[in-house]
Amino acid sequence: MAAPAFVISPEDGQLRGAGMEGFYRDNVRVLARCRLLLAGREPLPLLGHRTSAELARFVAAAELPGGGPDPEVIVERHRSAACQERITVRSACERTLRLTLELHLGTDLADLGAIAVQAAGPPLAATVAGAGLRWTRGALRATVEAQPPPDTAFAATGILQWDWELRPGEARELTLGLRFDRAGNRGAETPAGEGPWAAAAGGAGGLRRPVDDWSAVRAESEDRRAAPLLTASLEDLAALQLRDADNPADRYLAAGVPWRCALAPAEALRAARMLLPLGTRLAAGTLRTLARRRADGRHRGVIPGTLRSTGPHRPPSDTGIEATLLFPVVLAEARRWGLPERETEALLPTAELCLRWILEAAGDEGFVPDPGPGAPHRCEVQAAAHRAAVLGAELLELNGSSAAAELSEWAGELRSRFAGRFWTDDEAGGRPVPLALASGAPDGQQLTSSLAELLDTGLAAGGRQAPGLLTKAREERLVCLLRSPRLDSGWGLRTLAEGAPGYNPFGHRYGAVRLEDTATAIVGMAAHGYEEEAGGLLAEVLDASGAFEGRLPEMYAGERRAPRSVPVPHPAACRPSAVAAAAAVHLLLASAGVRPDVPGGTVDLRPWRTAPLGELRLRGLVVAEHPFSVRISRLGMGVVEEAADGLRLG
C-alpha cells in the first residue's frame, strides 16, 4: 500500500480478478487482472512476500518441456502499490531459448464498495493505446503502458505479448506502468520507465515520496517481539499517510486498507495522539485538516462524522462526537510534547468551538448525550468529554477565554454526579453502567471494552495525569472487571462480554477484540498503578502480534484462548489499520513512562516498575522538537540518554 493506492494479491502474484484482487487507487479497482504466462503456461510459484509496506516480490519457475527437477528459467516480479510492476525473466539453461511471454490484463473500474458486495459488474473491453491497453467507464479511464513495448497487442482479449530469445545466462526485463484518470483530468500515474526499484531486489526500500521521518526510531529490547512489531507498525503508518487536498503540507493517516483508505476523523485523531512521542507534525497536520472541515451553523464546532454500528442491542454511536471530543485533547497534549506556540494558537479557535459545544450539548442535565431525541448517555462519552474539558480548560487559559472557568466548573460537577448515573453497586463491588438509557430501551448494562476510556484521563501540566471520574476503589474494581474472563479473551479485550445478549466473537462492536480499546486499557491501568494487570494484557497483544507477522489488524475474533491456539482473523478487518499500528507503537513506548511538559520546561520519566519488556532502550523519540532517547533497566529504572538543551527532568 501507498495511500491512497494499494494492491491485493494472492501469494503467487497472479491477479486473476477473483474476489478483491487488483490494483486500487482512490477506492477504484484500476486493474483487476494481470496474469503472466510463459511458453503458454503459468510459472510454478516459489515465493511471495512483502518486502516493505509498499512493495512485494514474487518468484516463480517456468515449467518447460523436457526440463529437469532444477529450475532453469526464473520469473521474478516486483510489484509496487504506486501502480507499477517490474518483471524479470532469467535463464540458466545451457541452450538458447525462444519463449513467448504473455500478460493477460483486464479491469472493471469498479468501486470498492461494489466489489465488497459482489456487485462489480462485467469486465470492460480494452483498446490499444500506445505501448499498452486502455479501459474506460464513464469518466474513469485506466491505461497500462509497457516498456519495452509489446511485440503484439490483442485488445479483444486484453493480451500483451513479447517473443523473446534468451541466450544462456541472459535476463530480459519489462516494466508496466499504470495510469488512472478521473473526469478527463490527468490522474495518478507511474511511468513505465521509472519506479522505486533501487532497493527492491535487496528486500527493502519504498516509494520515493516525503513522509514523516521515523527512520531514527529504534527499540532495543530483551523481548524479541518488540523491535519487529515497532518496525512493521512504523512502516505501515508511513504508507498510510495522505496529504490534505486543500493544503498538501498537512498530512493525516488514512483509517486503513482496504475498506477505509481515506480520512476518518476519529481514527485519524486517535492515531495521531498515540504517535505524539514521535513528534507533533502528524498531529498538527491532522488538526489543521479537520479544523478546515468543522461544521458551521446549527452544529457549529462539531467535527463531521458518521454513525457507527454498535451491535443489535445498542444504538449506533456518533464518530463526529468522538472526533469533537478528541480535537482539544490532541491539541493540548501535542502542546505538552512540544507543538510550537504559534501553531497551538492558530488551532485554539477550533478547539474552543469544540469545547463550547460540550457545554451546550450537556445542557441542564450535565451529561453529553448522543444525537437525536431520547438518545442515551454513554459512559465512554462522559469520560471523553470530561478529559476534553479538563485539558481544554488549560488550553483556553492561554487566550483568557471565559469558557476555561466554565469548563473547569462543569468537569468538577460531572465528577460529583457521575457515579449516581453511571455506577451501580452490588456485593462484588459494583460496576460501571455503559449506557444510561432512555425509558423503554433495551438493557444497556453489559460490560464492554469501551469502559477502558474511564482510565484514560490525559496528559496534564507538569507531566501528571489529569483527574478522572472514578474513585480509587472504583478504579480497582474496573480493572478487575476488564481482566475478568468474560472480557479478557486471552488475546485482548472483547468489545462485549462473553455471554451477553448479542455477543458474537466476530462482532466488531459486540465481541471481537479491538486493539485500540485494549491499548487504552493497558496504558490506563499502568498510569493508575496497576502495572501487573497492564503487563498481562500487553503480553497477550505481543503474543497475538506473532500470529499476524507483526502487522496487527484493527480487530480479530474474541474467541477464548486455548493451548496451541492462535487468534482468528476477522474477514472485514482493515490490515494495516492506522489505530492498530499506532496502538502497537503506543504500547511499546508507554512502558518507558515519558511525560513531557515542554511549556513548563520539564519532562517526567515514570517507567513501569515491572519492566514488561525487560531491559529496553528507545531512540528517536521527539520531545520539544529535539531527539529524545531513554534506557529502562530490568528493575524499571529509567535514564534519559538524549534530550533537548534546557529540558529539566521532573
Side-chain angles (χ1 to χ4, degrees), residues 278-566:
L278 308 185
T280 61
R281 287 177 55 196
L282 179 64
T286 304
L287 291 168
R288 285 192 290 263
T289 298
L290 294 177
R292 289 188 283 268
R293 286 163 170 74
R294 65 172 176 77
D296 290 313
R298 181 179 172 208
H299 300 291
R300 188 166 180 256
V302 176
I303 306 297
T306 58
L307 291 180
R308 174 193 289 135
S309 171
T310 54
H313 296 276
R314 291 164 61 91
S317 62
D318 191 326
T319 62
I321 289 179
E322 184 180 346
T324 301
L325 299 178
L326 276 170
F327 189 99
V329 170
V330 175
L331 180 58
E333 292 187 334
R335 180 172 174 265
R336 297 289 170 211
W337 282 94
L339 183 68
E341 290 296 332
R342 64 183 182 281
E343 296 187 45
T344 302
E345 291 169 2
L347 290 162
L348 276 176
T350 300
E352 182 167 358
L353 287 172
C354 293
L355 293 166
R356 288 188 179 277
W357 176 84
I358 295 174
L359 298 173
E360 294 170 6
D364 296 335
E365 196 173 15
F367 299 106
V368 176
D370 279 16
H377 295 95
R378 295 180 190 269
C379 182
E380 68 264 28
V381 170
Q382 311 316 309
H386 179 264
R387 180 175 61 233
V390 171
L391 301 186
E394 292 184 3
L395 266 182
L396 297 189
E397 288 174 357
L398 298 176
N399 61 0
S401 171
S402 60
E406 293 179 66
L407 285 164
S408 295
E409 182 180 358
W410 177 81
E413 292 172 352
L414 181 59
R415 286 193 292 274
S416 64
R417 70 165 66 95
F418 178 81
R421 189 71 176 272
F422 290 97
W423 191 272
T424 180
D425 291 314
D426 56 32
E427 294 180 357
R431 58 187 172 86
V433 177
L435 289 174
L437 294 165
S439 176
D443 179 15
Q445 298 187 14
Q446 299 297 338
L447 294 175
T448 67
S449 60
S450 62
L451 295 173
E453 284 286 331
L454 290 168
L455 299 174
D456 181 4
T457 59
L459 180 63
R464 60 182 172 84
Q465 290 291 115
L469 292 171
L470 299 180
T471 64
K472 187 64 178 176
R474 287 172 178 155
E475 280 178 5
E476 184 173 351
R477 176 59 179 159
L478 175 57
V479 170
C480 290
L481 291 170
L482 291 173
R483 289 304 314 273
S484 68
R486 292 189 65 204
L487 273 180
D488 187 352
S489 71
W491 300 112
L493 299 182
R494 301 181 180 95
T495 47
L496 180 64
E498 186 179 36
Y503 168 75
N504 176 354
F506 287 91
H508 68 292
R509 293 282 170 178
Y510 44 103
V513 173
R514 293 186 63 87
L515 193 59
E516 62 178 294
D517 289 352
T518 300
T520 299
I522 292 170
V523 177
M525 288 176 184
H528 290 275
Y530 303 97
E531 293 180 3
E532 292 287 350
E533 293 81 356
L537 266 182
L538 176 58
E540 294 178 10
V541 171
L542 290 172
D543 288 344
S545 71
F548 293 108
E549 299 178 335
R551 178 184 260 185
L552 284 162
E554 63 175 328
M555 59 183 169
Y556 42 89
E559 293 181 332
R560 186 179 297 275
R561 184 173 182 173
R564 299 184 180 180
S565 68
V566 293

Side-chain angles (χ1 to χ4, degrees), residues 576-602:
S577 154
V579 290
V585 175
H586 185 45
L587 289 176
L588 294 174
L589 304 185
S591 64
V594 180
R595 298 183 183 181
D597 181 12
V598 173
T602 64

Side-chain angles (χ1 to χ4, degrees), residues 88-374:
T88 304
V89 179
R90 294 185 176 87
S91 173
C93 190
E94 294 181 354
R95 67 187 188 279
T96 297
L97 298 175
R98 289 177 175 83
L99 299 173
T100 296
L101 185 147
E102 297 177 5
L103 285 176
H104 293 236
L105 306 171
T107 191
D108 46 23
L109 290 177
D111 181 78
L112 177 63
I115 296 169
V117 296
Q118 302 180 16
L124 300 172
T127 58
V128 175
L133 299 173
R134 177 173 295 157
W135 300 265
T136 303
R137 182 173 70 84
L140 305 178
R141 184 174 65 181
T143 305
V144 169
E145 297 177 344
Q147 290 295 333
D151 296 308
T152 311
F154 301 95
T157 53
I159 297 176
L160 301 181
Q161 180 176 298
W162 290 260
D163 297 313
W164 283 346
E165 182 177 276
L166 270 70
R167 295 184 296 273
E170 186 179 7
R172 298 290 293 271
E173 182 177 294
L174 68 89
T175 305
L176 300 178
L178 183 58
R179 178 182 298 171
F180 176 54
D181 302 87
R182 188 190 293 270
N185 295 324
R186 182 179 177 85
E189 63 174 304
T190 301
E194 301 177 5
W197 310 116
L207 302 182
R208 292 192 296 266
R209 59 192 183 96
V211 295
D212 280 344
D213 184 12
W214 295 325
S215 60
V217 181
R218 294 284 186 276
E220 300 170 11
S221 170
E222 287 183 293
D223 191 317
R224 294 183 178 180
R225 299 167 294 184
L229 178 58
L230 180 65
T231 300
S233 299
L234 291 177
E235 187 179 88
D236 284 344
L237 289 163
L240 281 169
Q241 289 186 68
L242 292 173
R243 296 176 184 269
D244 179 28
D246 297 329
N247 192 332
D250 288 336
R251 292 178 178 272
Y252 56 87
L253 291 174
V257 172
W259 309 111
R260 295 184 296 156
C261 196
L263 175 64
E267 283 85 350
L269 284 168
R270 279 190 177 275
R273 183 186 178 209
M274 290 188 282
L275 295 173
L276 283 172
L278 308 185
T280 61
R281 287 177 55 196
L282 179 64
T286 304
L287 291 168
R288 285 192 290 263
T289 298
L290 294 177
R292 289 188 283 268
R293 286 163 170 74
R294 65 172 176 77
D296 290 313
R298 181 179 172 208
H299 300 291
R300 188 166 180 256
V302 176
I303 306 297
T306 58
L307 291 180
R308 174 193 289 135
S309 171
T310 54
H313 296 276
R314 291 164 61 91
S317 62
D318 191 326
T319 62
I321 289 179
E322 184 180 346
T324 301
L325 299 178
L326 276 170
F327 189 99
V329 170
V330 175
L331 180 58
E333 292 187 334
R335 180 172 174 265
R336 297 289 170 211
W337 282 94
L339 183 68
E341 290 296 332
R342 64 183 182 281
E343 296 187 45
T344 302
E345 291 169 2
L347 290 162
L348 276 176
T350 300
E352 182 167 358
L353 287 172
C354 293
L355 293 166
R356 288 188 179 277
W357 176 84
I358 295 174
L359 298 173
E360 294 170 6
D364 296 335
E365 196 173 15
F367 299 106
V368 176
D370 279 16

